[in-house]
Amino acid sequence: METTLICLAVAVIGGLMLSRLTKKLNLPAVTAYLVAGLLLGPYCIGALGVAGLGFNSFEQLEGMDILTEVALGFIAFTIGNEFRLSQLKAIGSRAAIVGVLQAVITTVVVDIFLLALHLIFPSMISVATAITLGAIASATAPAATLMVVRQYKADGPLTKLLLLVVAIDDAVGLLLFSLSFGIATSLSAGAVSIVSVLIEPILEVLLSLVLGALMGWLLNVVERFFHSRSKRMSVSVAFVLLTVGLSMLEFDIGGVHIGFSLLLVCMMTGTIFCNICSTSEELMERIDGWTVPVNILFFVISGAELDLQVLASPVTLIIGIVYIIARSLGKYFGAYSSCRLTKCSDLITKHLGITLLPQAGVALGMAITAASLPDGAIARNVVLFAVLVYELVGPTLTKRSLMAAGEIDPQGRTSARKENMPKLENP
């Protein structure tokens, strides 16, 4: 227990200290946390085997899964706050069209590239793995995007659309993956299962939205019993933890597997709550401050979990490079064409695709599921390699795109220490 606590403290302090360096290099703090994780991980400082100084093994990191799940829950809950009726009336339909089209186009582009690679080198990648990776490519990392937006206080049409698209992207990505993985499993087994291909993914999305809506309504009801800010914040935190726990439940009914999407459930909880609670904005700000250390741990642990052994496999590198190129093209041109279709401004049309490049937790979760395919290890390693690249480069590209669109103040943030210093009167 004491070793774990020391390790977590070192992770937070290490991430914060490294963020001072990245600030001088004009890089987002997210990048610092990920690099800190790599340095503290099993391939660097953790390899020294000193208890408490870094993460010594991947088994130790697996014990931190509860922290990453909780962090994702709070991140999704916060993104749900963006789905306010006022914003949905203004850009809701546009966000839905862009969110769906860019995800579908990305999947199609990656499928084409990887299936072409299969035709050229049949032994390198199977059809089942190719179409599964195509669906995984649609997923965007909401955590990295939200952290960049928060750090630089980005605001404007592009930022508002981006946060809505990222949220919609996860729902579409889940459906695309479930459909593609069901087809891939059927190809490998030689039989098509309508239940796994259509019924289970649709049920997962619908039940996640229903559970999230119920939890958001219950949170609003319980909040009314408390009047102090600290107690209301505590209730909100408790409800997010409860929602994360409930979203992990899995069971079978009549041969149909029932499960929930943590991201969708928590997003829906935040959406319903922010639209029916008159004081939700104030509560969200207080929750954001409370979750900062949790979010830092999330990214440090994510960096430590990146498996550098994938860089030693030529097959993984080849497929990974093709995957990264295809996904980047799909995201950019998918966002570009859908923005043109919905008549977005030129700034949004030009920059939205770049901000959708980060990829992490959601894709890794899909890759773990895809590992059950006959050659699923390739899919997992390719996604690990892509996440390594996207997580280190994606936040910086997102920052630059938002800055180019004029939605980040180039002067940066002011110092809280200086702002809070008492002003001395001149003698």
Side-chain angles (χ1 to χ4, degrees):
M1 182 69 72
E2 63 274 14
T3 300
T4 301
L5 290 175
I6 294 172
C7 187
L8 293 177
V10 169
V12 173
I13 295 171
L16 288 172
M17 295 302 292
L18 199 59
S19 69
R20 299 301 302 167
L21 174 61
T22 56
K23 184 177 181 180
K24 295 183 182 297
L25 299 175
N26 292 319
L27 296 175
V30 176
T31 304
Y33 305 148
L34 291 165
V35 173
L38 278 173
L39 294 176
L40 293 171
Y43 292 105
C44 196
I45 295 175
L48 299 175
V50 180
L53 185 61
F55 303 99
N56 306 131
S57 66
F58 284 103
E59 288 73 20
Q60 182 183 4
L61 286 167
E62 288 177 2
M64 309 289 180
D65 283 350
I66 185 64
L67 286 174
T68 58
E69 295 294 316
V70 167
L72 277 176
F74 278 103
I75 288 166
F77 182 71
T78 303
I79 291 178
N81 187 46
E82 300 299 323
F83 283 84
R84 294 184 177 271
L85 288 177
S86 56
Q87 291 192 22
L88 291 177
K89 289 177 181 178
I91 60 173
S93 59
R94 178 179 294 169
I97 294 172
V98 174
V100 172
L101 281 182
Q102 60 83 23
V104 172
I105 290 172
T106 300
T107 295
V108 171
V109 171
V110 176
D111 279 344
I112 291 173
F113 271 71
L114 293 181
L115 288 174
L117 185 64
H118 166 75
L119 292 175
I120 299 172
F121 304 104
S123 61
M124 183 175 290
I125 184 172
S126 67
V127 173
T129 299
I131 62 175
T132 301
L133 282 171
I136 294 174
S138 66
T140 300
T145 303
L146 183 63
M147 286 291 283
V148 172
V149 169
R150 279 181 177 176
Q151 179 184 354
Y152 296 102
K153 295 181 173 58
D155 189 30
L158 174 58
T159 302
K160 289 181 172 63
L161 180 62
L162 169 62
L163 292 175
L164 291 177
V165 168
V166 166
I168 294 169
D169 179 274
D170 287 318
V172 178
L174 176 63
L175 282 173
L176 289 172
F177 174 75
S178 298
L179 180 63
S180 297
F181 182 66
I183 294 173
T185 303
S186 300
L187 288 174
S188 300
V192 178
S193 171
I194 300 299
V195 172
S196 62
V197 173
L198 291 177
I199 297 178
E200 289 182 356
I202 292 175
L203 274 177
E204 181 172 345
V205 172
L206 291 177
L207 291 176
S208 296
L209 295 177
V210 170
L211 177 59
L214 176 62
M215 295 304 293
W217 176 78
L218 283 175
L219 173 57
N220 181 58
V221 172
V222 176
E223 287 276 5
R224 295 175 182 175
F225 290 97
F226 303 94
H227 302 286
S228 71
R229 293 177 178 177
S230 58
K231 289 181 179 178
R232 288 168 58 234
M233 186 193 74
S234 299
V235 169
S236 301
V237 170
F239 254 80
V240 175
L241 294 175
L242 176 60
T243 304
V244 170
L246 291 175
S247 67
M248 293 179 179
L249 296 176
E250 295 182 8
F251 47 90
D252 294 313
I253 299 179
V256 178
H257 181 74
I258 304 297
F260 302 95
S261 166
L262 183 150
L263 287 174
L264 286 183
V265 173
C266 292
M267 280 182 193
M268 193 62 178
T269 301
T271 298
I272 296 299
F273 176 67
C274 76
N275 280 289
I276 63 177
C277 178
S278 58
T279 59
S280 61
E281 285 196 51
E282 175 201 347
L283 278 171
M284 286 292 185
E285 289 180 1
R286 295 175 68 84
I287 290 173
D288 286 347
W290 184 86
T291 57
V292 168
V294 179
N295 291 336
I296 293 173
L297 275 175
F298 170 77
F299 286 105
V300 174
I301 292 172
S302 297
E305 287 177 335
L306 295 176
D307 191 348
L308 299 184
Q309 284 186 336
V310 298
L311 301 178
S313 171
V315 172
T316 298
L317 292 178
I318 293 172
I319 301 175
I321 291 171
V322 173
Y323 173 88
I324 290 171
I325 292 173
R327 181 178 180 273
S328 301
L329 290 174
K331 283 292 180 184
Y332 182 81
F333 288 107
Y336 185 92
S337 58
S338 55
C339 284
R340 284 291 184 196
L341 180 65
T342 54
K343 298 180 180 179
C344 294
S345 68
D346 289 339
L347 280 176
I348 293 177
T349 302
K350 181 179 178 182
H351 296 292
L352 179 63
I354 299 297
T355 63
L356 296 173
L357 290 182
Q359 190 173 44
V362 179
L364 288 173
M366 293 177 178
I368 291 172
T369 303
S372 62
L373 294 171
D375 59 345
I378 293 177
R380 175 184 174 276
N381 290 339
V382 167
V383 173
L384 281 171
F385 172 62
V387 166
L388 175 64
V389 174
Y390 279 126
E391 282 296 88
L392 294 177
V393 177
T396 301
L397 294 177
T398 297
K399 174 202 169 185
R400 290 183 177 178
S401 293
L402 291 174
M403 186 172 287
E407 300 191 6
I408 289 179
D409 182 3
Q411 299 301 320
R413 297 178 298 174
T414 57
S415 170
R417 184 184 296 275
K418 292 180 180 178
E419 281 187 347
N420 294 330
M421 286 180 62
K423 295 181 180 179
L424 300 177
E425 296 183 0
N426 291 327

